[in-house]
Amino acid sequence: MRIGTAGWLPCAAINDAGDGYLADELDQALLSRFLRVKVIPNLEQWTEWAHKAAKLHPKIIRFVENSPHVFADPVANPRAWTYASQLYKAWQTGKEKDQDLLLIALAGVLNEKWALAFCGSLSDNKNPLTASQIIDQYPAHQSLVRGWVAG
């Protein structure tokens, strides 16, 4: 079976309307000419790639690594975090370190929830705690956890 012309493989990408994206359904005759593959982001594979790529900011990688359900939110997908890394690096190299500007820019590629969470991790100057850290080392983190609950 020959697919495409020598050296070429025609491909297309489209978001699934069933996943909540505003997308037109493709005609069945056209769809019959494609092999359809649903891509599901994997946190471990993304972080492995991010470490090897060496183009992503370490704080972005660390935040995503410590947010196990981050890719369950379609807005906070791997591509969005890659863009967030580019924005954060540009913000860091700028002359003025306006936190509000960073938050607005990040909310434009992630959403407000994830932008606030990431910016909050920067102001704490700490890595976010994992569930196992909270459970296994609760005495060491008790005051921080109680502050979160009170807030």
Side-chain angles (χ1 to χ4, degrees):
M1 179 167 118
R2 186 173 154 193
I3 300 177
T5 309
W8 292 90
L9 177 63
C11 298
I14 188 168
N15 292 323
D16 189 354
D19 288 340
Y21 293 101
L22 182 58
D24 292 331
E25 293 292 329
L26 294 179
D27 175 89
Q28 285 300 318
L30 182 60
L31 275 176
S32 71
R33 292 169 170 84
F34 287 92
L35 168 68
R36 287 169 273 172
V37 178
K38 184 171 179 97
V39 178
I40 300 169
N42 179 286
L43 182 67
E44 291 78 24
Q45 289 175 347
W46 184 86
T47 54
E48 182 181 328
W49 166 82
H51 283 293
K52 288 179 183 175
K55 294 179 183 177
L56 275 72
H57 197 284
K59 289 185 179 183
I60 292 282
I61 297 171
R62 189 170 38 246
F63 181 84
V64 171
E65 280 178 320
N66 289 309
S67 304
H69 301 293
V70 67
F71 295 152
D73 184 344
V75 177
N77 58 59
R79 180 176 40 229
W81 284 103
T82 303
Y83 292 157
S85 175
Q86 293 167 351
L87 286 169
Y88 183 58
K89 287 168 105 175
W91 177 83
Q92 270 196 318
T93 59
K95 293 178 184 175
E96 193 174 322
K97 301 290 188 275
D98 184 345
Q99 290 280 342
D100 291 335
L101 179 61
L102 175 63
L103 180 62
I104 290 166
L106 291 174
V109 295
L110 300 166
N111 64 23
E112 190 175 343
K113 174 182 115 176
W114 289 107
L116 282 167
F118 176 72
C119 289
S121 74
L122 295 175
S123 64
D124 290 344
N125 205 18
K126 297 177 183 173
N127 296 331
L129 294 176
T130 64
S132 61
Q133 286 175 308
I134 294 171
I135 292 169
D136 297 340
Q137 303 163 9
Y138 183 72
H141 304 296
Q142 182 177 6
S143 62
L144 181 60
V145 173
R146 286 187 178 188
W148 291 342
V149 173

